[in-house]
Amino acid sequence: MSARKKSDTWMPIFIGDYLADTMRLSTIQHGAYLLLLMEYWRQGPLVDDMDELCAVCRTDRKTWDKTIWPSLSRFFEKKDDGLLHQKRADNERANAAEKKVKRSEAANARWGKKECKDDANASGMHEQSTCKGDDTQSSPLPSSLRSETSLTSFESERAQNPKSEKSKRACRLPADWRPSPEMAEFARSNGVDPERTAAVFRDYWVGVPDPKGRKADWNATWRNWVRREDGMQPIPQRTAPSERRIAVNAAWAGVPDIEGV
């Protein structure tokens, strides 16, 4: 029992071959044979135990001995392992097991290639990875040479694709974004109200779809936004009244109220 391996729950049935071999079976014999084949597919060769086979076929021993097994026994052969074998079922289970191994190996190969790709970290340094199962292994190098080699490889990659680093760092503006104290001071120095401008800036960029809504440097985007003239009103400046304005106010102060005349 322990030597029998379970197979997948899907079982192939070649209808033409099946009917050609079972034309003289009765309805109850067909049902019993199919149940035996299903058990065979899941567990492997059947045990030579009539009581257990009766349980598999959901029948009683009398019906099994008289009606079922005399017709089905010709499909099975008892071998040296003491189990009942069916030649076609053994071949199909072997084919299914081989296909499963090949699918597993192909999946492992795909994942192995993916894991072998070098990823650069934020500082521009990355270590070379080794594929699992590769026949060749990289020779050990001193740490200083490894760092230099990795840096040279990364700089070469950046030279070939200068936009790759920026595109990897691009992100969307957070919905609760607020300018830092330095960015707020930059706005004031340009005559722009940082609070009101930040609200307009945030609402605009949160609503912009990808990819335009992603920026690599939001501080730079904020500074360019502040420098724009359209839609940016300077903070009102309070100035001391001029001498002429003071004189006009004084003159009007001496004029009597017309309604009181």
Side-chain angles (χ1 to χ4, degrees), residues 15-46:
I15 299 176
D17 294 341
Y18 176 84
L19 292 179
D21 293 339
T22 60
M23 288 299 295
R24 291 178 174 82
L25 296 184
S26 66
T27 301
I28 190 173
Q29 290 167 350
H30 271 293
Y33 187 39
L34 286 173
L35 289 173
L36 291 177
L37 290 178
M38 293 178 188
E39 177 71 8
Y40 201 111
W41 181 258
R42 294 180 65 251
Q43 303 291 352
L46 305 174

PDB file of all heavy atoms in Angstrom, residues 15-46:
ATOM      1  N   ILE A  15     -12.362   6.699 -25.436  1.00  0.00           N
ATOM      2  CA  ILE A  15     -13.668   6.047 -25.533  1.00  0.00           C
ATOM      3  C   ILE A  15     -13.673   4.906 -26.552  1.00  0.00           C
ATOM      4  O   ILE A  15     -14.231   3.828 -26.312  1.00  0.00           O
ATOM      5  CB  ILE A  15     -14.755   7.088 -25.872  1.00  0.00           C
ATOM      6  CG1 ILE A  15     -14.827   8.132 -24.756  1.00  0.00           C
ATOM      7  CG2 ILE A  15     -16.103   6.418 -26.075  1.00  0.00           C
ATOM      8  CD1 ILE A  15     -15.782   9.257 -25.028  1.00  0.00           C
ATOM      9  N   GLY A  16     -13.045   5.125 -27.711  1.00  0.00           N
ATOM     10  CA  GLY A  16     -13.038   4.088 -28.734  1.00  0.00           C
ATOM     11  C   GLY A  16     -12.356   2.820 -28.258  1.00  0.00           C
ATOM     12  O   GLY A  16     -12.881   1.706 -28.431  1.00  0.00           O
ATOM     13  N   ASP A  17     -11.190   2.962 -27.632  1.00  0.00           N
ATOM     14  CA  ASP A  17     -10.464   1.799 -27.127  1.00  0.00           C
ATOM     15  C   ASP A  17     -11.233   1.126 -25.995  1.00  0.00           C
ATOM     16  O   ASP A  17     -11.273  -0.114 -25.908  1.00  0.00           O
ATOM     17  CB  ASP A  17      -9.077   2.216 -26.633  1.00  0.00           C
ATOM     18  CG  ASP A  17      -8.199   2.706 -27.775  1.00  0.00           C
ATOM     19  OD1 ASP A  17      -8.508   2.405 -28.934  1.00  0.00           O
ATOM     20  OD2 ASP A  17      -7.192   3.401 -27.497  1.00  0.00           O
ATOM     21  N   TYR A  18     -11.836   1.947 -25.129  1.00  0.00           N
ATOM     22  CA  TYR A  18     -12.574   1.380 -24.004  1.00  0.00           C
ATOM     23  C   TYR A  18     -13.750   0.535 -24.486  1.00  0.00           C
ATOM     24  O   TYR A  18     -13.953  -0.609 -24.040  1.00  0.00           O
ATOM     25  CB  TYR A  18     -13.047   2.491 -23.083  1.00  0.00           C
ATOM     26  CG  TYR A  18     -13.914   2.001 -21.946  1.00  0.00           C
ATOM     27  CD1 TYR A  18     -13.349   1.504 -20.779  1.00  0.00           C
ATOM     28  CD2 TYR A  18     -15.309   2.000 -22.061  1.00  0.00           C
ATOM     29  CE1 TYR A  18     -14.139   1.040 -19.742  1.00  0.00           C
ATOM     30  CE2 TYR A  18     -16.112   1.537 -21.035  1.00  0.00           C
ATOM     31  CZ  TYR A  18     -15.520   1.064 -19.877  1.00  0.00           C
ATOM     32  OH  TYR A  18     -16.304   0.588 -18.850  1.00  0.00           O
ATOM     33  N   LEU A  19     -14.534   1.092 -25.393  1.00  0.00           N
ATOM     34  CA  LEU A  19     -15.710   0.351 -25.878  1.00  0.00           C
ATOM     35  C   LEU A  19     -15.311  -0.903 -26.652  1.00  0.00           C
ATOM     36  O   LEU A  19     -16.006  -1.926 -26.594  1.00  0.00           O
ATOM     37  CB  LEU A  19     -16.565   1.269 -26.760  1.00  0.00           C
ATOM     38  CG  LEU A  19     -17.262   2.428 -26.044  1.00  0.00           C
ATOM     39  CD1 LEU A  19     -18.044   3.275 -27.044  1.00  0.00           C
ATOM     40  CD2 LEU A  19     -18.186   1.912 -24.942  1.00  0.00           C
ATOM     41  N   ALA A  20     -14.194  -0.821 -27.370  1.00  0.00           N
ATOM     42  CA  ALA A  20     -13.757  -2.000 -28.126  1.00  0.00           C
ATOM     43  C   ALA A  20     -13.409  -3.162 -27.200  1.00  0.00           C
ATOM     44  O   ALA A  20     -13.598  -4.334 -27.558  1.00  0.00           O
ATOM     45  CB  ALA A  20     -12.554  -1.643 -28.993  1.00  0.00           C
ATOM     46  N   ASP A  21     -12.904  -2.860 -26.004  1.00  0.00           N
ATOM     47  CA  ASP A  21     -12.504  -3.914 -25.058  1.00  0.00           C
ATOM     48  C   ASP A  21     -13.644  -4.363 -24.148  1.00  0.00           C
ATOM     49  O   ASP A  21     -13.528  -5.408 -23.488  1.00  0.00           O
ATOM     50  CB  ASP A  21     -11.337  -3.427 -24.192  1.00  0.00           C
ATOM     51  CG  ASP A  21     -10.074  -3.218 -24.997  1.00  0.00           C
ATOM     52  OD1 ASP A  21      -9.962  -3.811 -26.095  1.00  0.00           O
ATOM     53  OD2 ASP A  21      -9.197  -2.455 -24.548  1.00  0.00           O
ATOM     54  N   THR A  22     -14.727  -3.595 -24.082  1.00  0.00           N
ATOM     55  CA  THR A  22     -15.755  -3.882 -23.079  1.00  0.00           C
ATOM     56  C   THR A  22     -17.142  -4.059 -23.697  1.00  0.00           C
ATOM     57  O   THR A  22     -18.154  -3.852 -23.010  1.00  0.00           O
ATOM     58  CB  THR A  22     -15.804  -2.734 -22.044  1.00  0.00           C
ATOM     59  OG1 THR A  22     -16.115  -1.497 -22.727  1.00  0.00           O
ATOM     60  CG2 THR A  22     -14.478  -2.591 -21.325  1.00  0.00           C
ATOM     61  N   MET A  23     -17.231  -4.440 -24.954  1.00  0.00           N
ATOM     62  CA  MET A  23     -18.533  -4.551 -25.618  1.00  0.00           C
ATOM     63  C   MET A  23     -19.436  -5.595 -24.968  1.00  0.00           C
ATOM     64  O   MET A  23     -20.665  -5.503 -25.035  1.00  0.00           O
ATOM     65  CB  MET A  23     -18.322  -4.902 -27.103  1.00  0.00           C
ATOM     66  CG  MET A  23     -17.760  -3.749 -27.933  1.00  0.00           C
ATOM     67  SD  MET A  23     -18.843  -2.306 -27.947  1.00  0.00           S
ATOM     68  CE  MET A  23     -20.263  -2.972 -28.811  1.00  0.00           C
ATOM     69  N   ARG A  24     -18.873  -6.595 -24.333  1.00  0.00           N
ATOM     70  CA  ARG A  24     -19.702  -7.676 -23.778  1.00  0.00           C
ATOM     71  C   ARG A  24     -19.963  -7.505 -22.280  1.00  0.00           C
ATOM     72  O   ARG A  24     -20.495  -8.411 -21.638  1.00  0.00           O
ATOM     73  CB  ARG A  24     -19.027  -9.027 -24.038  1.00  0.00           C
ATOM     74  CG  ARG A  24     -19.012  -9.426 -25.509  1.00  0.00           C
ATOM     75  CD  ARG A  24     -18.305 -10.746 -25.725  1.00  0.00           C
ATOM     76  NE  ARG A  24     -18.416 -11.198 -27.101  1.00  0.00           N
ATOM     77  CZ  ARG A  24     -17.619 -10.762 -28.091  1.00  0.00           C
ATOM     78  NH1 ARG A  24     -16.685  -9.857 -27.834  1.00  0.00           N
ATOM     79  NH2 ARG A  24     -17.777 -11.231 -29.323  1.00  0.00           N
ATOM     80  N   LEU A  25     -19.612  -6.375 -21.720  1.00  0.00           N
ATOM     81  CA  LEU A  25     -19.867  -6.139 -20.295  1.00  0.00           C
ATOM     82  C   LEU A  25     -21.298  -5.654 -20.092  1.00  0.00           C
ATOM     83  O   LEU A  25     -21.852  -4.919 -20.923  1.00  0.00           O
ATOM     84  CB  LEU A  25     -18.887  -5.117 -19.725  1.00  0.00           C
ATOM     85  CG  LEU A  25     -17.403  -5.500 -19.702  1.00  0.00           C
ATOM     86  CD1 LEU A  25     -16.595  -4.404 -19.025  1.00  0.00           C
ATOM     87  CD2 LEU A  25     -17.185  -6.842 -19.023  1.00  0.00           C
ATOM     88  N   SER A  26     -21.890  -6.048 -18.993  1.00  0.00           N
ATOM     89  CA  SER A  26     -23.223  -5.554 -18.631  1.00  0.00           C
ATOM     90  C   SER A  26     -23.098  -4.174 -17.998  1.00  0.00           C
ATOM     91  O   SER A  26     -22.005  -3.669 -17.740  1.00  0.00           O
ATOM     92  CB  SER A  26     -23.886  -6.530 -17.652  1.00  0.00           C
ATOM     93  OG  SER A  26     -23.160  -6.541 -16.427  1.00  0.00           O
ATOM     94  N   THR A  27     -24.259  -3.591 -17.722  1.00  0.00           N
ATOM     95  CA  THR A  27     -24.267  -2.258 -17.122  1.00  0.00           C
ATOM     96  C   THR A  27     -23.552  -2.249 -15.776  1.00  0.00           C
ATOM     97  O   THR A  27     -22.716  -1.376 -15.501  1.00  0.00           O
ATOM     98  CB  THR A  27     -25.714  -1.762 -16.936  1.00  0.00           C
ATOM     99  OG1 THR A  27     -26.357  -1.739 -18.201  1.00  0.00           O
ATOM    100  CG2 THR A  27     -25.730  -0.380 -16.331  1.00  0.00           C
ATOM    101  N   ILE A  28     -23.839  -3.212 -14.927  1.00  0.00           N
ATOM    102  CA  ILE A  28     -23.219  -3.265 -13.616  1.00  0.00           C
ATOM    103  C   ILE A  28     -21.721  -3.557 -13.725  1.00  0.00           C
ATOM    104  O   ILE A  28     -20.908  -3.045 -12.949  1.00  0.00           O
ATOM    105  CB  ILE A  28     -23.918  -4.308 -12.719  1.00  0.00           C
ATOM    106  CG1 ILE A  28     -23.422  -4.188 -11.281  1.00  0.00           C
ATOM    107  CG2 ILE A  28     -23.692  -5.714 -13.252  1.00  0.00           C
ATOM    108  CD1 ILE A  28     -24.198  -5.060 -10.315  1.00  0.00           C
ATOM    109  N   GLN A  29     -21.350  -4.339 -14.729  1.00  0.00           N
ATOM    110  CA  GLN A  29     -19.938  -4.620 -14.925  1.00  0.00           C
ATOM    111  C   GLN A  29     -19.185  -3.391 -15.437  1.00  0.00           C
ATOM    112  O   GLN A  29     -18.044  -3.132 -15.042  1.00  0.00           O
ATOM    113  CB  GLN A  29     -19.777  -5.800 -15.896  1.00  0.00           C
ATOM    114  CG  GLN A  29     -20.220  -7.127 -15.312  1.00  0.00           C
ATOM    115  CD  GLN A  29     -20.345  -8.216 -16.360  1.00  0.00           C
ATOM    116  OE1 GLN A  29     -20.282  -7.944 -17.575  1.00  0.00           O
ATOM    117  NE2 GLN A  29     -20.549  -9.462 -15.916  1.00  0.00           N
ATOM    118  N   HIS A  30     -19.832  -2.607 -16.311  1.00  0.00           N
ATOM    119  CA  HIS A  30     -19.230  -1.341 -16.760  1.00  0.00           C
ATOM    120  C   HIS A  30     -18.976  -0.413 -15.564  1.00  0.00           C
ATOM    121  O   HIS A  30     -17.891   0.187 -15.444  1.00  0.00           O
ATOM    122  CB  HIS A  30     -20.153  -0.643 -17.765  1.00  0.00           C
ATOM    123  CG  HIS A  30     -19.924  -1.048 -19.182  1.00  0.00           C
ATOM    124  ND1 HIS A  30     -18.788  -0.755 -19.882  1.00  0.00           N
ATOM    125  CD2 HIS A  30     -20.724  -1.748 -20.046  1.00  0.00           C
ATOM    126  CE1 HIS A  30     -18.867  -1.236 -21.103  1.00  0.00           C
ATOM    127  NE2 HIS A  30     -20.049  -1.850 -21.242  1.00  0.00           N
ATOM    128  N   GLY A  31     -19.993  -0.273 -14.718  1.00  0.00           N
ATOM    129  CA  GLY A  31     -19.839   0.607 -13.567  1.00  0.00           C
ATOM    130  C   GLY A  31     -18.715   0.153 -12.650  1.00  0.00           C
ATOM    131  O   GLY A  31     -17.905   0.969 -12.181  1.00  0.00           O
ATOM    132  N   ALA A  32     -18.617  -1.142 -12.380  1.00  0.00           N
ATOM    133  CA  ALA A  32     -17.570  -1.657 -11.512  1.00  0.00           C
ATOM    134  C   ALA A  32     -16.190  -1.463 -12.136  1.00  0.00           C
ATOM    135  O   ALA A  32     -15.226  -1.092 -11.462  1.00  0.00           O
ATOM    136  CB  ALA A  32     -17.826  -3.134 -11.218  1.00  0.00           C
ATOM    137  N   TYR A  33     -16.097  -1.710 -13.443  1.00  0.00           N
ATOM    138  CA  TYR A  33     -14.807  -1.576 -14.116  1.00  0.00           C
ATOM    139  C   TYR A  33     -14.316  -0.130 -14.101  1.00  0.00           C
ATOM    140  O   TYR A  33     -13.133   0.154 -13.871  1.00  0.00           O
ATOM    141  CB  TYR A  33     -14.937  -2.087 -15.543  1.00  0.00           C
ATOM    142  CG  TYR A  33     -13.619  -2.161 -16.284  1.00  0.00           C
ATOM    143  CD1 TYR A  33     -12.454  -2.584 -15.649  1.00  0.00           C
ATOM    144  CD2 TYR A  33     -13.543  -1.827 -17.638  1.00  0.00           C
ATOM    145  CE1 TYR A  33     -11.252  -2.663 -16.333  1.00  0.00           C
ATOM    146  CE2 TYR A  33     -12.346  -1.905 -18.332  1.00  0.00           C
ATOM    147  CZ  TYR A  33     -11.198  -2.324 -17.673  1.00  0.00           C
ATOM    148  OH  TYR A  33     -10.008  -2.394 -18.347  1.00  0.00           O
ATOM    149  N   LEU A  34     -15.219   0.816 -14.350  1.00  0.00           N
ATOM    150  CA  LEU A  34     -14.837   2.231 -14.312  1.00  0.00           C
ATOM    151  C   LEU A  34     -14.398   2.654 -12.906  1.00  0.00           C
ATOM    152  O   LEU A  34     -13.448   3.423 -12.742  1.00  0.00           O
ATOM    153  CB  LEU A  34     -15.990   3.098 -14.805  1.00  0.00           C
ATOM    154  CG  LEU A  34     -16.240   3.070 -16.317  1.00  0.00           C
ATOM    155  CD1 LEU A  34     -17.514   3.829 -16.664  1.00  0.00           C
ATOM    156  CD2 LEU A  34     -15.053   3.663 -17.071  1.00  0.00           C
ATOM    157  N   LEU A  35     -15.084   2.174 -11.882  1.00  0.00           N
ATOM    158  CA  LEU A  35     -14.673   2.491 -10.519  1.00  0.00           C
ATOM    159  C   LEU A  35     -13.294   1.917 -10.209  1.00  0.00           C
ATOM    160  O   LEU A  35     -12.479   2.555  -9.530  1.00  0.00           O
ATOM    161  CB  LEU A  35     -15.707   1.962  -9.528  1.00  0.00           C
ATOM    162  CG  LEU A  35     -17.049   2.705  -9.499  1.00  0.00           C
ATOM    163  CD1 LEU A  35     -18.043   1.968  -8.593  1.00  0.00           C
ATOM    164  CD2 LEU A  35     -16.861   4.137  -9.006  1.00  0.00           C
ATOM    165  N   LEU A  36     -13.030   0.719 -10.711  1.00  0.00           N
ATOM    166  CA  LEU A  36     -11.704   0.127 -10.508  1.00  0.00           C
ATOM    167  C   LEU A  36     -10.620   0.932 -11.235  1.00  0.00           C
ATOM    168  O   LEU A  36      -9.524   1.141 -10.710  1.00  0.00           O
ATOM    169  CB  LEU A  36     -11.694  -1.320 -10.992  1.00  0.00           C
ATOM    170  CG  LEU A  36     -12.508  -2.328 -10.173  1.00  0.00           C
ATOM    171  CD1 LEU A  36     -12.448  -3.705 -10.835  1.00  0.00           C
ATOM    172  CD2 LEU A  36     -12.008  -2.403  -8.734  1.00  0.00           C
ATOM    173  N   LEU A  37     -10.931   1.388 -12.450  1.00  0.00           N
ATOM    174  CA  LEU A  37      -9.959   2.200 -13.192  1.00  0.00           C
ATOM    175  C   LEU A  37      -9.689   3.531 -12.498  1.00  0.00           C
ATOM    176  O   LEU A  37      -8.550   4.030 -12.484  1.00  0.00           O
ATOM    177  CB  LEU A  37     -10.466   2.438 -14.613  1.00  0.00           C
ATOM    178  CG  LEU A  37     -10.472   1.220 -15.545  1.00  0.00           C
ATOM    179  CD1 LEU A  37     -11.042   1.608 -16.910  1.00  0.00           C
ATOM    180  CD2 LEU A  37      -9.077   0.629 -15.693  1.00  0.00           C
ATOM    181  N   MET A  38     -10.727   4.137 -11.929  1.00  0.00           N
ATOM    182  CA  MET A  38     -10.531   5.393 -11.193  1.00  0.00           C
ATOM    183  C   MET A  38      -9.652   5.178  -9.966  1.00  0.00           C
ATOM    184  O   MET A  38      -8.769   5.982  -9.658  1.00  0.00           O
ATOM    185  CB  MET A  38     -11.889   5.964 -10.790  1.00  0.00           C
ATOM    186  CG  MET A  38     -12.744   6.420 -11.953  1.00  0.00           C
ATOM    187  SD  MET A  38     -14.372   7.022 -11.406  1.00  0.00           S
ATOM    188  CE  MET A  38     -15.179   7.229 -12.989  1.00  0.00           C
ATOM    189  N   GLU A  39      -9.900   4.088  -9.244  1.00  0.00           N
ATOM    190  CA  GLU A  39      -9.065   3.766  -8.090  1.00  0.00           C
ATOM    191  C   GLU A  39      -7.627   3.491  -8.536  1.00  0.00           C
ATOM    192  O   GLU A  39      -6.668   3.907  -7.880  1.00  0.00           O
ATOM    193  CB  GLU A  39      -9.641   2.539  -7.365  1.00  0.00           C
ATOM    194  CG  GLU A  39      -8.823   2.049  -6.188  1.00  0.00           C
ATOM    195  CD  GLU A  39      -8.882   2.982  -4.993  1.00  0.00           C
ATOM    196  OE1 GLU A  39      -9.687   3.947  -5.023  1.00  0.00           O
ATOM    197  OE2 GLU A  39      -8.153   2.746  -4.028  1.00  0.00           O
ATOM    198  N   TYR A  40      -7.476   2.804  -9.659  1.00  0.00           N
ATOM    199  CA  TYR A  40      -6.170   2.494 -10.210  1.00  0.00           C
ATOM    200  C   TYR A  40      -5.424   3.779 -10.558  1.00  0.00           C
ATOM    201  O   TYR A  40      -4.233   3.925 -10.281  1.00  0.00           O
ATOM    202  CB  TYR A  40      -6.344   1.626 -11.456  1.00  0.00           C
ATOM    203  CG  TYR A  40      -5.122   0.828 -11.855  1.00  0.00           C
ATOM    204  CD1 TYR A  40      -5.105  -0.557 -11.745  1.00  0.00           C
ATOM    205  CD2 TYR A  40      -3.984   1.447 -12.357  1.00  0.00           C
ATOM    206  CE1 TYR A  40      -3.988  -1.291 -12.116  1.00  0.00           C
ATOM    207  CE2 TYR A  40      -2.871   0.728 -12.722  1.00  0.00           C
ATOM    208  CZ  TYR A  40      -2.862  -0.646 -12.594  1.00  0.00           C
ATOM    209  OH  TYR A  40      -1.748  -1.376 -12.955  1.00  0.00           O
ATOM    210  N   TRP A  41      -6.128   4.718 -11.178  1.00  0.00           N
ATOM    211  CA  TRP A  41      -5.494   5.968 -11.599  1.00  0.00           C
ATOM    212  C   TRP A  41      -5.020   6.787 -10.399  1.00  0.00           C
ATOM    213  O   TRP A  41      -3.942   7.389 -10.432  1.00  0.00           O
ATOM    214  CB  TRP A  41      -6.483   6.778 -12.431  1.00  0.00           C
ATOM    215  CG  TRP A  41      -5.902   8.076 -12.922  1.00  0.00           C
ATOM    216  CD1 TRP A  41      -6.114   9.319 -12.424  1.00  0.00           C
ATOM    217  CD2 TRP A  41      -4.994   8.236 -14.007  1.00  0.00           C
ATOM    218  NE1 TRP A  41      -5.409  10.255 -13.114  1.00  0.00           N
ATOM    219  CE2 TRP A  41      -4.695   9.612 -14.106  1.00  0.00           C
ATOM    220  CE3 TRP A  41      -4.394   7.356 -14.911  1.00  0.00           C
ATOM    221  CZ2 TRP A  41      -3.831  10.133 -15.075  1.00  0.00           C
ATOM    222  CZ3 TRP A  41      -3.534   7.871 -15.870  1.00  0.00           C
ATOM    223  CH2 TRP A  41      -3.264   9.239 -15.947  1.00  0.00           C
ATOM    224  N   ARG A  42      -5.786   6.802  -9.340  1.00  0.00           N
ATOM    225  CA  ARG A  42      -5.429   7.600  -8.169  1.00  0.00           C
ATOM    226  C   ARG A  42      -4.373   6.924  -7.294  1.00  0.00           C
ATOM    227  O   ARG A  42      -3.478   7.564  -6.789  1.00  0.00           O
ATOM    228  CB  ARG A  42      -6.673   7.874  -7.313  1.00  0.00           C
ATOM    229  CG  ARG A  42      -7.715   8.758  -7.995  1.00  0.00           C
ATOM    230  CD  ARG A  42      -8.909   8.988  -7.086  1.00  0.00           C
ATOM    231  NE  ARG A  42      -8.529   9.741  -5.896  1.00  0.00           N
ATOM    232  CZ  ARG A  42      -8.461   9.228  -4.671  1.00  0.00           C
ATOM    233  NH1 ARG A  42      -8.754   7.939  -4.479  1.00  0.00           N
ATOM    234  NH2 ARG A  42      -8.111   9.974  -3.634  1.00  0.00           N
ATOM    235  N   GLN A  43      -4.470   5.603  -7.133  1.00  0.00           N
ATOM    236  CA  GLN A  43      -3.632   4.916  -6.159  1.00  0.00           C
ATOM    237  C   GLN A  43      -2.591   3.990  -6.768  1.00  0.00           C
ATOM    238  O   GLN A  43      -1.686   3.545  -6.080  1.00  0.00           O
ATOM    239  CB  GLN A  43      -4.510   4.090  -5.199  1.00  0.00           C
ATOM    240  CG  GLN A  43      -5.562   4.897  -4.467  1.00  0.00           C
ATOM    241  CD  GLN A  43      -4.950   5.842  -3.441  1.00  0.00           C
ATOM    242  OE1 GLN A  43      -3.763   5.794  -3.169  1.00  0.00           O
ATOM    243  NE2 GLN A  43      -5.775   6.693  -2.871  1.00  0.00           N
ATOM    244  N   GLY A  44      -2.726   3.649  -8.060  1.00  0.00           N
ATOM    245  CA  GLY A  44      -1.812   2.699  -8.657  1.00  0.00           C
ATOM    246  C   GLY A  44      -2.411   1.305  -8.710  1.00  0.00           C
ATOM    247  O   GLY A  44      -3.623   1.118  -8.506  1.00  0.00           O
ATOM    248  N   PRO A  45      -1.590   0.284  -8.983  1.00  0.00           N
ATOM    249  CA  PRO A  45      -2.099  -1.097  -9.094  1.00  0.00           C
ATOM    250  C   PRO A  45      -2.948  -1.492  -7.888  1.00  0.00           C
ATOM    251  O   PRO A  45      -2.700  -1.070  -6.757  1.00  0.00           O
ATOM    252  CB  PRO A  45      -0.814  -1.923  -9.180  1.00  0.00           C
ATOM    253  CG  PRO A  45       0.189  -0.982  -9.783  1.00  0.00           C
ATOM    254  CD  PRO A  45      -0.142   0.373  -9.250  1.00  0.00           C
ATOM    255  N   LEU A  46      -3.949  -2.330  -8.140  1.00  0.00           N
ATOM    256  CA  LEU A  46      -4.925  -2.705  -7.117  1.00  0.00           C
ATOM    257  C   LEU A  46      -4.399  -3.849  -6.247  1.00  0.00           C
ATOM    258  O   LEU A  46      -3.630  -4.701  -6.700  1.00  0.00           O
ATOM    259  CB  LEU A  46      -6.234  -3.126  -7.774  1.00  0.00           C
ATOM    260  CG  LEU A  46      -6.879  -2.112  -8.726  1.00  0.00           C
ATOM    261  CD1 LEU A  46      -8.086  -2.732  -9.410  1.00  0.00           C
ATOM    262  CD2 LEU A  46      -7.244  -0.840  -7.994  1.00  0.00           C
TER     263      LEU A  46
END
